[in-house]
Amino acid sequence: MTEKADLLTKALQDELVRGITILPSTGAFSHHESSTLFMVINRVELYEMERCCS
């Protein structure tokens, strides 16, 4: 979940060249609106994603 979906999506797509689904989400406790990013990756891409976006 993130409030910076556009920025994070661009960074992930530039690094991994993968499709990403953006789902609007609301916190059950806080009722705070944000976005949930959904992307299927393999183990190698997990390392690349962590390096890219940490």
Side-chain angles (χ1 to χ4, degrees), residues 1-16:
M1 294 179 63
T2 182
E3 294 177 3
K4 299 177 182 180
D6 293 335
L7 182 63
L8 188 54
T9 299
K10 179 164 178 17
L12 288 169
Q13 287 179 327
D14 288 348
E15 186 69 27
L16 300 175

Side-chain angles (χ1 to χ4, degrees), residues 20-52:
I20 301 170
T21 300
I22 302 173
L23 305 167
S25 54
T26 304
F29 179 75
S30 66
H31 301 287
H32 185 76
E33 294 185 12
S34 61
S35 297
T36 300
L37 304 181
F38 185 79
M39 177 175 63
V40 177
I41 58 173
N42 62 36
R43 289 181 187 161
V44 173
E45 292 168 323
L46 176 61
Y47 171 75
E48 293 172 5
M49 182 186 74
E50 289 173 339
R51 184 177 49 83
C52 158

